[in-house]
Amino acid sequence: MREALETLVLNPASALTAAVAYGLMLRSGATFGSLLNPWALSLPLWVAGYLAVRMALLGFVDGFVWALAPRLPALPSRVGPKPVFQHKINATDVAYLIVNSTVEYVFALQISHLLWFAPLVVRAPTSLSLLNGPLAFWMLLVVDDMLYAPLHRAMHLQAVYRWVHKHHHRNTFPARGYIDAANEHPVEQIAALCLHWVAVHVVAHTAGGGGAAGPAPLPGQ
C-alpha cells in the first residue's frame, strides 16, 4: 500500500494532472460535486450506477475474453518450453483498479450528460443522416486512435515512462480481461479518457452538425 500512495500522491504526473483539472474547473465555473455527479444523483443512485457499470464492463469485457480466447490460436510468445511470467496482483494494482473504476464511472456520467444535453450533438431522429450517424461513429474511432497514438508514444519517453506508463508494462502476460486492461496508472487512464472527450467534440463539430451552437462545454459545466 505504501507503493500505491507514493506513486499516486508523490508523483509529478499526478500533481500536474490535479493542477490542470483544478484550472479547468476554475475556468468553467464547475464545482467538484458537479464534476463527480453531473446528473445530481442521490448517493444511493450514484453508487447503484457505479455497480451497474462495473457489472456491465466486467460481464462484457471478461465475457468476451472467456468466450473468444479459447477459439483463437495462441500467440508465439505464449507457446514453447519457456514458462510465461504473469505478474501477480498486489495492493498497488488493487488501488489503481479502484481509482480507475471510479474515474471510468465519472467519465461515463460526464459523457452521457454531454450527449444528452450539449447542443453540439444531434439527437433528433429527423436530423440523423449518414454523415452524423454511421460515418460520425467511424470518425470517432479514427480520431480517438489518432489522438491516442502520439500520447502512447509520449508515455514511452524516459521522463514520463517511470512516472506513468511503467506500471502498465509490469504485466507481460495480459490474460485476465478487464483486470489487466485497466491495470494502469490513473494519470494514464485520465489522459486516455480526456482524448475520448476531445474526439467526441471534434467529430460533433465536423460531422455532427452542431458546430454553430457555440463552444464545447467542459466537464461539469
Side-chain angles (χ1 to χ4, degrees), residues 202-221:
V202 170
V203 173
H205 280 288
T206 54
L218 294 169
Q221 189 173 3

PDB file of all heavy atoms in Angstrom, residues 202-221:
ATOM      1  N   VAL A 202     -14.536  16.858 -31.520  1.00  0.00           N
ATOM      2  CA  VAL A 202     -14.024  17.012 -32.882  1.00  0.00           C
ATOM      3  C   VAL A 202     -15.023  16.473 -33.892  1.00  0.00           C
ATOM      4  O   VAL A 202     -15.354  17.132 -34.893  1.00  0.00           O
ATOM      5  CB  VAL A 202     -12.664  16.299 -33.032  1.00  0.00           C
ATOM      6  CG1 VAL A 202     -12.244  16.241 -34.504  1.00  0.00           C
ATOM      7  CG2 VAL A 202     -11.585  17.002 -32.215  1.00  0.00           C
ATOM      8  N   VAL A 203     -15.531  15.274 -33.632  1.00  0.00           N
ATOM      9  CA  VAL A 203     -16.485  14.661 -34.564  1.00  0.00           C
ATOM     10  C   VAL A 203     -17.804  15.427 -34.571  1.00  0.00           C
ATOM     11  O   VAL A 203     -18.414  15.630 -35.632  1.00  0.00           O
ATOM     12  CB  VAL A 203     -16.709  13.178 -34.193  1.00  0.00           C
ATOM     13  CG1 VAL A 203     -17.820  12.572 -35.051  1.00  0.00           C
ATOM     14  CG2 VAL A 203     -15.419  12.393 -34.371  1.00  0.00           C
ATOM     15  N   ALA A 204     -18.258  15.884 -33.404  1.00  0.00           N
ATOM     16  CA  ALA A 204     -19.517  16.624 -33.343  1.00  0.00           C
ATOM     17  C   ALA A 204     -19.441  17.921 -34.143  1.00  0.00           C
ATOM     18  O   ALA A 204     -20.402  18.318 -34.798  1.00  0.00           O
ATOM     19  CB  ALA A 204     -19.879  16.914 -31.890  1.00  0.00           C
ATOM     20  N   HIS A 205     -18.295  18.582 -34.103  1.00  0.00           N
ATOM     21  CA  HIS A 205     -18.143  19.841 -34.813  1.00  0.00           C
ATOM     22  C   HIS A 205     -17.897  19.639 -36.306  1.00  0.00           C
ATOM     23  O   HIS A 205     -18.082  20.579 -37.087  1.00  0.00           O
ATOM     24  CB  HIS A 205     -16.995  20.660 -34.216  1.00  0.00           C
ATOM     25  CG  HIS A 205     -17.364  21.387 -32.964  1.00  0.00           C
ATOM     26  ND1 HIS A 205     -18.194  22.482 -32.945  1.00  0.00           N
ATOM     27  CD2 HIS A 205     -17.022  21.158 -31.666  1.00  0.00           C
ATOM     28  CE1 HIS A 205     -18.340  22.916 -31.705  1.00  0.00           C
ATOM     29  NE2 HIS A 205     -17.644  22.127 -30.907  1.00  0.00           N
ATOM     30  N   THR A 206     -17.473  18.455 -36.697  1.00  0.00           N
ATOM     31  CA  THR A 206     -17.197  18.210 -38.113  1.00  0.00           C
ATOM     32  C   THR A 206     -18.316  17.426 -38.802  1.00  0.00           C
ATOM     33  O   THR A 206     -18.700  17.753 -39.922  1.00  0.00           O
ATOM     34  CB  THR A 206     -15.875  17.443 -38.292  1.00  0.00           C
ATOM     35  OG1 THR A 206     -15.909  16.251 -37.500  1.00  0.00           O
ATOM     36  CG2 THR A 206     -14.699  18.296 -37.859  1.00  0.00           C
ATOM     37  N   ALA A 207     -18.839  16.430 -38.134  1.00  0.00           N
ATOM     38  CA  ALA A 207     -19.861  15.587 -38.755  1.00  0.00           C
ATOM     39  C   ALA A 207     -21.196  15.649 -38.043  1.00  0.00           C
ATOM     40  O   ALA A 207     -22.208  15.206 -38.585  1.00  0.00           O
ATOM     41  CB  ALA A 207     -19.390  14.128 -38.798  1.00  0.00           C
ATOM     42  N   GLY A 208     -21.204  16.202 -36.820  1.00  0.00           N
ATOM     43  CA  GLY A 208     -22.436  16.181 -36.040  1.00  0.00           C
ATOM     44  C   GLY A 208     -23.392  17.310 -36.338  1.00  0.00           C
ATOM     45  O   GLY A 208     -24.547  17.271 -35.924  1.00  0.00           O
ATOM     46  N   GLY A 209     -22.904  18.352 -37.021  1.00  0.00           N
ATOM     47  CA  GLY A 209     -23.798  19.441 -37.400  1.00  0.00           C
ATOM     48  C   GLY A 209     -24.091  20.411 -36.276  1.00  0.00           C
ATOM     49  O   GLY A 209     -24.987  21.246 -36.404  1.00  0.00           O
ATOM     50  N   GLY A 210     -23.347  20.331 -35.139  1.00  0.00           N
ATOM     51  CA  GLY A 210     -23.645  21.238 -34.036  1.00  0.00           C
ATOM     52  C   GLY A 210     -22.595  22.289 -33.827  1.00  0.00           C
ATOM     53  O   GLY A 210     -22.570  22.911 -32.770  1.00  0.00           O
ATOM     54  N   GLY A 211     -21.700  22.463 -34.770  1.00  0.00           N
ATOM     55  CA  GLY A 211     -20.589  23.370 -34.566  1.00  0.00           C
ATOM     56  C   GLY A 211     -21.007  24.832 -34.383  1.00  0.00           C
ATOM     57  O   GLY A 211     -20.294  25.604 -33.771  1.00  0.00           O
ATOM     58  N   ALA A 212     -22.169  25.202 -34.906  1.00  0.00           N
ATOM     59  CA  ALA A 212     -22.587  26.594 -34.798  1.00  0.00           C
ATOM     60  C   ALA A 212     -23.267  26.894 -33.472  1.00  0.00           C
ATOM     61  O   ALA A 212     -23.674  28.027 -33.210  1.00  0.00           O
ATOM     62  CB  ALA A 212     -23.569  26.921 -35.942  1.00  0.00           C
ATOM     63  N   ALA A 213     -23.399  25.891 -32.624  1.00  0.00           N
ATOM     64  CA  ALA A 213     -24.130  26.092 -31.375  1.00  0.00           C
ATOM     65  C   ALA A 213     -23.291  26.810 -30.331  1.00  0.00           C
ATOM     66  O   ALA A 213     -23.811  27.243 -29.318  1.00  0.00           O
ATOM     67  CB  ALA A 213     -24.591  24.737 -30.825  1.00  0.00           C
ATOM     68  N   GLY A 214     -21.995  26.940 -30.532  1.00  0.00           N
ATOM     69  CA  GLY A 214     -21.149  27.626 -29.565  1.00  0.00           C
ATOM     70  C   GLY A 214     -20.033  26.741 -29.099  1.00  0.00           C
ATOM     71  O   GLY A 214     -19.880  25.604 -29.549  1.00  0.00           O
ATOM     72  N   PRO A 215     -19.200  27.228 -28.169  1.00  0.00           N
ATOM     73  CA  PRO A 215     -18.061  26.469 -27.695  1.00  0.00           C
ATOM     74  C   PRO A 215     -18.489  25.233 -26.933  1.00  0.00           C
ATOM     75  O   PRO A 215     -19.535  25.205 -26.303  1.00  0.00           O
ATOM     76  CB  PRO A 215     -17.326  27.458 -26.770  1.00  0.00           C
ATOM     77  CG  PRO A 215     -18.374  28.436 -26.352  1.00  0.00           C
ATOM     78  CD  PRO A 215     -19.315  28.550 -27.519  1.00  0.00           C
ATOM     79  N   ALA A 216     -17.660  24.199 -26.992  1.00  0.00           N
ATOM     80  CA  ALA A 216     -17.976  22.953 -26.322  1.00  0.00           C
ATOM     81  C   ALA A 216     -17.862  23.125 -24.822  1.00  0.00           C
ATOM     82  O   ALA A 216     -16.923  23.730 -24.317  1.00  0.00           O
ATOM     83  CB  ALA A 216     -17.005  21.854 -26.794  1.00  0.00           C
ATOM     84  N   PRO A 217     -18.833  22.615 -24.057  1.00  0.00           N
ATOM     85  CA  PRO A 217     -18.765  22.731 -22.608  1.00  0.00           C
ATOM     86  C   PRO A 217     -17.713  21.822 -22.025  1.00  0.00           C
ATOM     87  O   PRO A 217     -17.412  20.762 -22.565  1.00  0.00           O
ATOM     88  CB  PRO A 217     -20.169  22.306 -22.158  1.00  0.00           C
ATOM     89  CG  PRO A 217     -20.645  21.385 -23.233  1.00  0.00           C
ATOM     90  CD  PRO A 217     -20.052  21.915 -24.501  1.00  0.00           C
ATOM     91  N   LEU A 218     -17.145  22.256 -20.896  1.00  0.00           N
ATOM     92  CA  LEU A 218     -16.199  21.429 -20.168  1.00  0.00           C
ATOM     93  C   LEU A 218     -16.956  20.544 -19.205  1.00  0.00           C
ATOM     94  O   LEU A 218     -18.117  20.790 -18.888  1.00  0.00           O
ATOM     95  CB  LEU A 218     -15.220  22.334 -19.396  1.00  0.00           C
ATOM     96  CG  LEU A 218     -14.288  23.190 -20.249  1.00  0.00           C
ATOM     97  CD1 LEU A 218     -13.583  24.199 -19.377  1.00  0.00           C
ATOM     98  CD2 LEU A 218     -13.291  22.313 -20.984  1.00  0.00           C
ATOM     99  N   PRO A 219     -16.319  19.468 -18.694  1.00  0.00           N
ATOM    100  CA  PRO A 219     -16.986  18.604 -17.739  1.00  0.00           C
ATOM    101  C   PRO A 219     -17.498  19.394 -16.537  1.00  0.00           C
ATOM    102  O   PRO A 219     -16.790  20.201 -15.953  1.00  0.00           O
ATOM    103  CB  PRO A 219     -15.867  17.639 -17.312  1.00  0.00           C
ATOM    104  CG  PRO A 219     -14.952  17.603 -18.475  1.00  0.00           C
ATOM    105  CD  PRO A 219     -14.983  18.977 -19.046  1.00  0.00           C
ATOM    106  N   GLY A 220     -18.754  19.173 -16.219  1.00  0.00           N
ATOM    107  CA  GLY A 220     -19.365  19.830 -15.088  1.00  0.00           C
ATOM    108  C   GLY A 220     -19.967  21.187 -15.407  1.00  0.00           C
ATOM    109  O   GLY A 220     -20.599  21.807 -14.557  1.00  0.00           O
ATOM    110  N   GLN A 221     -19.783  21.632 -16.641  1.00  0.00           N
ATOM    111  CA  GLN A 221     -20.283  22.965 -16.999  1.00  0.00           C
ATOM    112  C   GLN A 221     -21.706  22.873 -17.514  1.00  0.00           C
ATOM    113  O   GLN A 221     -22.021  21.945 -18.238  1.00  0.00           O
ATOM    114  CB  GLN A 221     -19.396  23.573 -18.087  1.00  0.00           C
ATOM    115  CG  GLN A 221     -19.697  25.033 -18.360  1.00  0.00           C
ATOM    116  CD  GLN A 221     -18.715  25.638 -19.306  1.00  0.00           C
ATOM    117  OE1 GLN A 221     -17.827  24.957 -19.806  1.00  0.00           O
ATOM    118  NE2 GLN A 221     -18.852  26.932 -19.553  1.00  0.00           N
TER     119      GLN A 221
END
